[in-house]
mmCIF file of all heavy atoms in Angstrom:
data_model
loop_
_atom_site.group_PDB
_atom_site.id
_atom_site.type_symbol
_atom_site.label_atom_id
_atom_site.label_comp_id
_atom_site.label_asym_id
_atom_site.label_seq_id
_atom_site.Cartn_x
_atom_site.Cartn_y
_atom_site.Cartn_z
ATOM 1 N N MET A 545 18.392 -69.387 23.705
ATOM 2 C CA MET A 545 18.114 -68.399 22.665
ATOM 3 C C MET A 545 19.418 -67.907 22.050
ATOM 4 O O MET A 545 20.294 -67.416 22.760
ATOM 5 C CB MET A 545 17.331 -67.209 23.233
ATOM 6 C CG MET A 545 17.010 -66.141 22.189
ATOM 7 S SD MET A 545 16.053 -66.760 20.772
ATOM 8 C CE MET A 545 14.476 -67.109 21.557
ATOM 9 N N LEU A 546 19.532 -68.084 20.738
ATOM 10 C CA LEU A 546 20.654 -67.536 19.990
ATOM 11 C C LEU A 546 20.157 -66.338 19.210
ATOM 12 O O LEU A 546 19.189 -66.430 18.452
ATOM 13 C CB LEU A 546 21.217 -68.578 19.017
ATOM 14 C CG LEU A 546 22.237 -68.066 17.989
ATOM 15 C CD1 LEU A 546 23.502 -67.571 18.687
ATOM 16 C CD2 LEU A 546 22.565 -69.125 16.950
ATOM 17 N N ILE A 547 20.823 -65.205 19.403
ATOM 18 C CA ILE A 547 20.478 -63.999 18.650
ATOM 19 C C ILE A 547 21.702 -63.593 17.847
ATOM 20 O O ILE A 547 22.645 -63.006 18.371
ATOM 21 C CB ILE A 547 20.003 -62.868 19.574
ATOM 22 C CG1 ILE A 547 18.740 -63.319 20.306
ATOM 23 C CG2 ILE A 547 19.746 -61.590 18.774
ATOM 24 C CD1 ILE A 547 18.120 -62.301 21.194
ATOM 25 N N PRO A 548 21.702 -63.943 16.551
ATOM 26 C CA PRO A 548 22.825 -63.547 15.700
ATOM 27 C C PRO A 548 22.629 -62.138 15.161
ATOM 28 O O PRO A 548 21.495 -61.657 15.047
ATOM 29 C CB PRO A 548 22.758 -64.576 14.565
ATOM 30 C CG PRO A 548 21.300 -64.902 14.452
ATOM 31 C CD PRO A 548 20.717 -64.768 15.840
ATOM 32 N N HIS A 549 23.724 -61.497 14.822
ATOM 33 C CA HIS A 549 23.640 -60.229 14.100
ATOM 34 C C HIS A 549 22.829 -60.447 12.834
ATOM 35 O O HIS A 549 23.019 -61.426 12.115
ATOM 36 C CB HIS A 549 25.039 -59.731 13.757
ATOM 37 C CG HIS A 549 25.066 -58.699 12.685
ATOM 38 N ND1 HIS A 549 24.348 -57.528 12.777
ATOM 39 C CD2 HIS A 549 25.699 -58.667 11.480
ATOM 40 C CE1 HIS A 549 24.543 -56.816 11.678
ATOM 41 N NE2 HIS A 549 25.359 -57.479 10.882
ATOM 42 N N GLN A 550 21.913 -59.522 12.564
ATOM 43 C CA GLN A 550 20.999 -59.671 11.434
ATOM 44 C C GLN A 550 21.634 -59.128 10.158
ATOM 45 O O GLN A 550 21.281 -58.069 9.656
ATOM 46 C CB GLN A 550 19.683 -58.964 11.740
ATOM 47 C CG GLN A 550 19.014 -59.439 13.017
ATOM 48 C CD GLN A 550 18.562 -60.889 12.930
ATOM 49 O OE1 GLN A 550 17.643 -61.223 12.185
ATOM 50 N NE2 GLN A 550 19.195 -61.766 13.702
ATOM 51 N N ALA A 551 22.583 -59.889 9.614
ATOM 52 C CA ALA A 551 23.289 -59.490 8.396
ATOM 53 C C ALA A 551 22.598 -60.020 7.157
ATOM 54 O O ALA A 551 22.442 -59.320 6.160
ATOM 55 C CB ALA A 551 24.729 -59.984 8.433
ATOM 56 N N ASN A 552 22.194 -61.279 7.229
ATOM 57 C CA ASN A 552 21.578 -61.963 6.105
ATOM 58 C C ASN A 552 20.878 -63.187 6.680
ATOM 59 O O ASN A 552 21.493 -63.960 7.422
ATOM 60 C CB ASN A 552 22.656 -62.369 5.088
ATOM 61 C CG ASN A 552 22.085 -62.973 3.831
ATOM 62 O OD1 ASN A 552 21.262 -63.871 3.868
ATOM 63 N ND2 ASN A 552 22.546 -62.481 2.692
ATOM 64 N N LEU A 553 19.617 -63.369 6.351
ATOM 65 C CA LEU A 553 18.868 -64.497 6.907
ATOM 66 C C LEU A 553 19.510 -65.817 6.516
ATOM 67 O O LEU A 553 19.451 -66.785 7.281
ATOM 68 C CB LEU A 553 17.420 -64.449 6.425
ATOM 69 C CG LEU A 553 16.473 -65.492 7.028
ATOM 70 C CD1 LEU A 553 16.402 -65.356 8.547
ATOM 71 C CD2 LEU A 553 15.078 -65.382 6.411
ATOM 72 N N ARG A 554 20.155 -65.876 5.346
ATOM 73 C CA ARG A 554 20.783 -67.124 4.908
ATOM 74 C C ARG A 554 21.960 -67.496 5.817
ATOM 75 O O ARG A 554 22.202 -68.677 6.067
ATOM 76 C CB ARG A 554 21.262 -67.009 3.460
ATOM 77 C CG ARG A 554 20.194 -66.543 2.491
ATOM 78 C CD ARG A 554 18.923 -67.389 2.527
ATOM 79 N NE ARG A 554 17.820 -66.694 1.871
ATOM 80 C CZ ARG A 554 16.574 -66.710 2.287
ATOM 81 N NH1 ARG A 554 16.261 -67.393 3.379
ATOM 82 N NH2 ARG A 554 15.629 -66.056 1.643
ATOM 83 N N ILE A 555 22.684 -66.506 6.314
ATOM 84 C CA ILE A 555 23.768 -66.784 7.262
ATOM 85 C C ILE A 555 23.200 -67.354 8.554
ATOM 86 O O ILE A 555 23.682 -68.361 9.079
ATOM 87 C CB ILE A 555 24.589 -65.515 7.552
ATOM 88 C CG1 ILE A 555 25.312 -65.037 6.292
ATOM 89 C CG2 ILE A 555 25.593 -65.758 8.681
ATOM 90 C CD1 ILE A 555 26.045 -63.721 6.456
ATOM 91 N N ALA A 556 22.156 -66.710 9.080
ATOM 92 C CA ALA A 556 21.541 -67.169 10.325
ATOM 93 C C ALA A 556 20.998 -68.587 10.175
ATOM 94 O O ALA A 556 21.123 -69.417 11.091
ATOM 95 C CB ALA A 556 20.426 -66.209 10.733
ATOM 96 N N GLN A 557 20.394 -68.886 9.036
ATOM 97 C CA GLN A 557 19.848 -70.221 8.807
ATOM 98 C C GLN A 557 20.962 -71.261 8.713
ATOM 99 O O GLN A 557 20.799 -72.394 9.180
ATOM 100 C CB GLN A 557 18.995 -70.223 7.536
ATOM 101 C CG GLN A 557 17.694 -69.454 7.691
ATOM 102 C CD GLN A 557 16.950 -69.268 6.379
ATOM 103 O OE1 GLN A 557 17.560 -69.260 5.298
ATOM 104 N NE2 GLN A 557 15.642 -69.120 6.454
ATOM 105 N N PHE A 558 22.084 -70.878 8.107
ATOM 106 C CA PHE A 558 23.226 -71.783 8.022
ATOM 107 C C PHE A 558 23.730 -72.125 9.419
ATOM 108 O O PHE A 558 23.997 -73.300 9.729
ATOM 109 C CB PHE A 558 24.338 -71.126 7.202
ATOM 110 C CG PHE A 558 25.546 -72.001 6.968
ATOM 111 C CD1 PHE A 558 25.675 -72.741 5.817
ATOM 112 C CD2 PHE A 558 26.560 -72.075 7.930
ATOM 113 C CE1 PHE A 558 26.797 -73.545 5.600
ATOM 114 C CE2 PHE A 558 27.672 -72.878 7.733
ATOM 115 C CZ PHE A 558 27.790 -73.614 6.559
ATOM 116 N N ILE A 559 23.874 -71.115 10.264
ATOM 117 C CA ILE A 559 24.356 -71.323 11.634
ATOM 118 C C ILE A 559 23.348 -72.163 12.423
ATOM 119 O O ILE A 559 23.727 -73.074 13.179
ATOM 120 C CB ILE A 559 24.598 -69.969 12.341
ATOM 121 C CG1 ILE A 559 25.668 -69.160 11.595
ATOM 122 C CG2 ILE A 559 24.999 -70.184 13.798
ATOM 123 C CD1 ILE A 559 26.999 -69.847 11.460
ATOM 124 N N GLN A 560 22.075 -71.860 12.278
ATOM 125 C CA GLN A 560 21.041 -72.621 12.978
ATOM 126 C C GLN A 560 21.116 -74.103 12.621
ATOM 127 O O GLN A 560 21.040 -74.969 13.497
ATOM 128 C CB GLN A 560 19.659 -72.070 12.628
ATOM 129 C CG GLN A 560 18.522 -72.841 13.292
ATOM 130 C CD GLN A 560 17.160 -72.257 12.967
ATOM 131 O OE1 GLN A 560 17.040 -71.164 12.422
ATOM 132 N NE2 GLN A 560 16.106 -72.986 13.309
ATOM 133 N N LYS A 561 21.277 -74.377 11.341
ATOM 134 C CA LYS A 561 21.354 -75.771 10.889
ATOM 135 C C LYS A 561 22.604 -76.448 11.416
ATOM 136 O O LYS A 561 22.572 -77.606 11.848
ATOM 137 C CB LYS A 561 21.323 -75.810 9.359
ATOM 138 C CG LYS A 561 21.314 -77.217 8.786
ATOM 139 C CD LYS A 561 21.199 -77.176 7.270
ATOM 140 C CE LYS A 561 21.183 -78.593 6.683
ATOM 141 N NZ LYS A 561 21.085 -78.569 5.206
ATOM 142 N N LYS A 562 23.725 -75.729 11.400
ATOM 143 C CA LYS A 562 24.986 -76.308 11.868
ATOM 144 C C LYS A 562 24.913 -76.690 13.344
ATOM 145 O O LYS A 562 25.447 -77.735 13.746
ATOM 146 C CB LYS A 562 26.128 -75.309 11.641
ATOM 147 C CG LYS A 562 27.483 -75.842 12.087
ATOM 148 C CD LYS A 562 28.622 -74.959 11.642
ATOM 149 C CE LYS A 562 29.957 -75.568 12.034
ATOM 150 N NZ LYS A 562 31.104 -74.779 11.545
ATOM 151 N N PHE A 563 24.259 -75.860 14.147
ATOM 152 C CA PHE A 563 24.157 -76.133 15.582
ATOM 153 C C PHE A 563 22.902 -76.928 15.937
ATOM 154 O O PHE A 563 22.647 -77.189 17.109
ATOM 155 C CB PHE A 563 24.196 -74.822 16.380
ATOM 156 C CG PHE A 563 25.569 -74.225 16.486
ATOM 157 C CD1 PHE A 563 26.053 -73.383 15.497
ATOM 158 C CD2 PHE A 563 26.393 -74.524 17.554
ATOM 159 C CE1 PHE A 563 27.324 -72.835 15.575
ATOM 160 C CE2 PHE A 563 27.674 -73.985 17.648
ATOM 161 C CZ PHE A 563 28.143 -73.143 16.648
ATOM 162 N N GLN A 564 22.128 -77.282 14.917
ATOM 163 C CA GLN A 564 20.921 -78.106 15.086
ATOM 164 C C GLN A 564 19.972 -77.495 16.131
ATOM 165 O O GLN A 564 19.462 -78.188 17.017
ATOM 166 C CB GLN A 564 21.299 -79.538 15.465
ATOM 167 C CG GLN A 564 22.152 -80.234 14.406
ATOM 168 C CD GLN A 564 22.557 -81.639 14.805
ATOM 169 O OE1 GLN A 564 23.121 -81.853 15.889
ATOM 170 N NE2 GLN A 564 22.268 -82.599 13.947
ATOM 171 N N LEU A 565 19.731 -76.197 15.974
ATOM 172 C CA LEU A 565 18.849 -75.493 16.897
ATOM 173 C C LEU A 565 17.451 -75.375 16.289
ATOM 174 O O LEU A 565 17.316 -75.011 15.118
ATOM 175 C CB LEU A 565 19.398 -74.101 17.198
ATOM 176 C CG LEU A 565 20.745 -74.033 17.918
ATOM 177 C CD1 LEU A 565 21.243 -72.598 17.973
ATOM 178 C CD2 LEU A 565 20.646 -74.625 19.315
ATOM 179 N N PRO A 566 16.412 -75.654 17.049
ATOM 180 C CA PRO A 566 15.046 -75.494 16.539
ATOM 181 C C PRO A 566 14.701 -74.020 16.372
ATOM 182 O O PRO A 566 15.370 -73.142 16.941
ATOM 183 C CB PRO A 566 14.184 -76.152 17.611
ATOM 184 C CG PRO A 566 14.997 -76.051 18.870
ATOM 185 C CD PRO A 566 16.426 -76.158 18.432
ATOM 186 N N ASN A 567 13.658 -73.743 15.612
ATOM 187 C CA ASN A 567 13.278 -72.355 15.321
ATOM 188 C C ASN A 567 13.046 -71.535 16.575
ATOM 189 O O ASN A 567 13.366 -70.341 16.612
ATOM 190 C CB ASN A 567 12.013 -72.329 14.458
ATOM 191 C CG ASN A 567 12.288 -72.801 13.046
ATOM 192 O OD1 ASN A 567 13.409 -72.761 12.568
ATOM 193 N ND2 ASN A 567 11.252 -73.271 12.365
ATOM 194 N N GLU A 568 12.496 -72.159 17.612
ATOM 195 C CA GLU A 568 12.172 -71.407 18.827
ATOM 196 C C GLU A 568 13.415 -70.995 19.613
ATOM 197 O O GLU A 568 13.318 -70.210 20.569
ATOM 198 C CB GLU A 568 11.227 -72.208 19.731
ATOM 199 C CG GLU A 568 11.757 -73.533 20.231
ATOM 200 C CD GLU A 568 11.411 -74.711 19.316
ATOM 201 O OE1 GLU A 568 11.090 -74.474 18.132
ATOM 202 O OE2 GLU A 568 11.470 -75.852 19.818
ATOM 203 N N LYS A 569 14.589 -71.480 19.212
ATOM 204 C CA LYS A 569 15.822 -71.131 19.918
ATOM 205 C C LYS A 569 16.687 -70.124 19.144
ATOM 206 O O LYS A 569 17.803 -69.813 19.574
ATOM 207 C CB LYS A 569 16.639 -72.392 20.211
ATOM 208 C CG LYS A 569 16.044 -73.253 21.323
ATOM 209 C CD LYS A 569 17.035 -74.291 21.787
ATOM 210 C CE LYS A 569 16.537 -75.027 23.018
ATOM 211 N NZ LYS A 569 17.571 -75.921 23.585
ATOM 212 N N VAL A 570 16.194 -69.640 18.021
ATOM 213 C CA VAL A 570 16.920 -68.643 17.238
ATOM 214 C C VAL A 570 15.959 -67.511 16.904
ATOM 215 O O VAL A 570 14.846 -67.753 16.436
ATOM 216 C CB VAL A 570 17.494 -69.241 15.939
ATOM 217 C CG1 VAL A 570 18.296 -68.182 15.176
ATOM 218 C CG2 VAL A 570 18.366 -70.448 16.232
ATOM 219 N N TYR A 571 16.391 -66.271 17.137
ATOM 220 C CA TYR A 571 15.511 -65.133 16.861
ATOM 221 C C TYR A 571 16.058 -64.322 15.698
ATOM 222 O O TYR A 571 17.205 -63.874 15.717
ATOM 223 C CB TYR A 571 15.364 -64.232 18.087
ATOM 224 C CG TYR A 571 14.240 -63.232 17.929
ATOM 225 C CD1 TYR A 571 12.943 -63.571 18.286
ATOM 226 C CD2 TYR A 571 14.470 -61.962 17.401
ATOM 227 C CE1 TYR A 571 11.896 -62.675 18.128
ATOM 228 C CE2 TYR A 571 13.427 -61.065 17.227
ATOM 229 C CZ TYR A 571 12.144 -61.426 17.599
ATOM 230 O OH TYR A 571 11.100 -60.544 17.434
ATOM 231 N N ASN A 572 15.220 -64.137 14.680
ATOM 232 C CA ASN A 572 15.565 -63.318 13.523
ATOM 233 C C ASN A 572 14.464 -62.297 13.263
ATOM 234 O O ASN A 572 13.276 -62.627 13.352
ATOM 235 C CB ASN A 572 15.731 -64.194 12.273
ATOM 236 C CG ASN A 572 16.958 -65.081 12.338
ATOM 237 O OD1 ASN A 572 18.077 -64.591 12.415
ATOM 238 N ND2 ASN A 572 16.745 -66.388 12.318
ATOM 239 N N ASN A 573 14.862 -61.082 12.944
ATOM 240 C CA ASN A 573 13.884 -60.056 12.548
ATOM 241 C C ASN A 573 14.349 -59.268 11.325
ATOM 242 O O ASN A 573 13.801 -58.216 11.012
ATOM 243 C CB ASN A 573 13.570 -59.110 13.707
ATOM 244 C CG ASN A 573 14.786 -58.332 14.189
ATOM 245 O OD1 ASN A 573 15.870 -58.423 13.612
ATOM 246 N ND2 ASN A 573 14.620 -57.571 15.258
ATOM 247 N N ILE A 574 15.373 -59.796 10.638
ATOM 248 C CA ILE A 574 15.903 -59.099 9.460
ATOM 249 C C ILE A 574 14.834 -58.931 8.386
ATOM 250 O O ILE A 574 14.889 -58.017 7.573
ATOM 251 C CB ILE A 574 17.137 -59.837 8.899
ATOM 252 C CG1 ILE A 574 17.859 -58.964 7.863
ATOM 253 C CG2 ILE A 574 16.763 -61.202 8.346
ATOM 254 C CD1 ILE A 574 19.186 -59.525 7.394
ATOM 255 N N MET A 575 13.846 -59.809 8.383
ATOM 256 C CA MET A 575 12.761 -59.722 7.400
ATOM 257 C C MET A 575 12.060 -58.377 7.467
ATOM 258 O O MET A 575 11.630 -57.836 6.454
ATOM 259 C CB MET A 575 11.732 -60.831 7.644
ATOM 260 C CG MET A 575 12.327 -62.231 7.692
ATOM 261 S SD MET A 575 13.143 -62.643 9.277
ATOM 262 C CE MET A 575 11.740 -62.836 10.363
ATOM 263 N N ARG A 576 11.963 -57.818 8.677
ATOM 264 C CA ARG A 576 11.220 -56.572 8.897
ATOM 265 C C ARG A 576 12.102 -55.327 8.888
ATOM 266 O O ARG A 576 11.616 -54.242 8.560
ATOM 267 C CB ARG A 576 10.482 -56.633 10.238
ATOM 268 C CG ARG A 576 9.468 -57.740 10.347
ATOM 269 C CD ARG A 576 8.620 -57.615 11.610
ATOM 270 N NE ARG A 576 9.387 -57.734 12.831
ATOM 271 C CZ ARG A 576 9.747 -58.893 13.373
ATOM 272 N NH1 ARG A 576 9.422 -60.030 12.772
ATOM 273 N NH2 ARG A 576 10.435 -58.935 14.493
ATOM 274 N N TYR A 577 13.365 -55.469 9.264
ATOM 275 C CA TYR A 577 14.210 -54.292 9.481
ATOM 276 C C TYR A 577 15.461 -54.233 8.615
ATOM 277 O O TYR A 577 16.149 -53.206 8.615
ATOM 278 C CB TYR A 577 14.637 -54.211 10.946
ATOM 279 C CG TYR A 577 13.492 -54.200 11.918
ATOM 280 C CD1 TYR A 577 13.429 -55.106 12.972
ATOM 281 C CD2 TYR A 577 12.452 -53.283 11.780
ATOM 282 C CE1 TYR A 577 12.371 -55.094 13.867
ATOM 283 C CE2 TYR A 577 11.378 -53.272 12.665
ATOM 284 C CZ TYR A 577 11.349 -54.178 13.708
ATOM 285 O OH TYR A 577 10.290 -54.166 14.587
ATOM 286 N N GLY A 578 15.779 -55.307 7.901
ATOM 287 C CA GLY A 578 17.048 -55.335 7.199
ATOM 288 C C GLY A 578 18.203 -55.402 8.181
ATOM 289 O O GLY A 578 18.033 -55.721 9.357
ATOM 290 N N ASN A 579 19.394 -55.109 7.694
ATOM 291 C CA ASN A 579 20.598 -55.112 8.528
ATOM 292 C C ASN A 579 20.769 -53.718 9.126
ATOM 293 O O ASN A 579 21.057 -52.763 8.404
ATOM 294 C CB ASN A 579 21.807 -55.491 7.665
ATOM 295 C CG ASN A 579 23.107 -55.524 8.446
ATOM 296 O OD1 ASN A 579 23.177 -55.067 9.584
ATOM 297 N ND2 ASN A 579 24.149 -56.050 7.828
#
């Protein structure tokens, strides 16, 4: 499980893609709470 600081979903998605991590291994909640 990777939990990045919720600064911007686009940053988290970039990191997820770079490390080739599936959705179930990255947790994001910025959609609901913002930064």
Side-chain angles (χ1 to χ4, degrees):
M545 180 58 69
L546 170 64
I547 298 183
H549 162 56
Q550 304 294 292
N552 185 310
L553 186 59
R554 307 306 164 219
I555 295 175
Q557 290 171 334
F558 184 95
I559 299 302
Q560 178 178 349
K561 183 177 180 181
K562 181 170 183 176
F563 284 87
Q564 299 178 307
L565 296 172
N567 289 337
E568 61 269 20
K569 287 193 172 187
V570 182
Y571 192 87
N572 291 298
N573 62 5
I574 192 172
M575 306 79 72
R576 299 189 297 278
Y577 304 127
N579 180 348

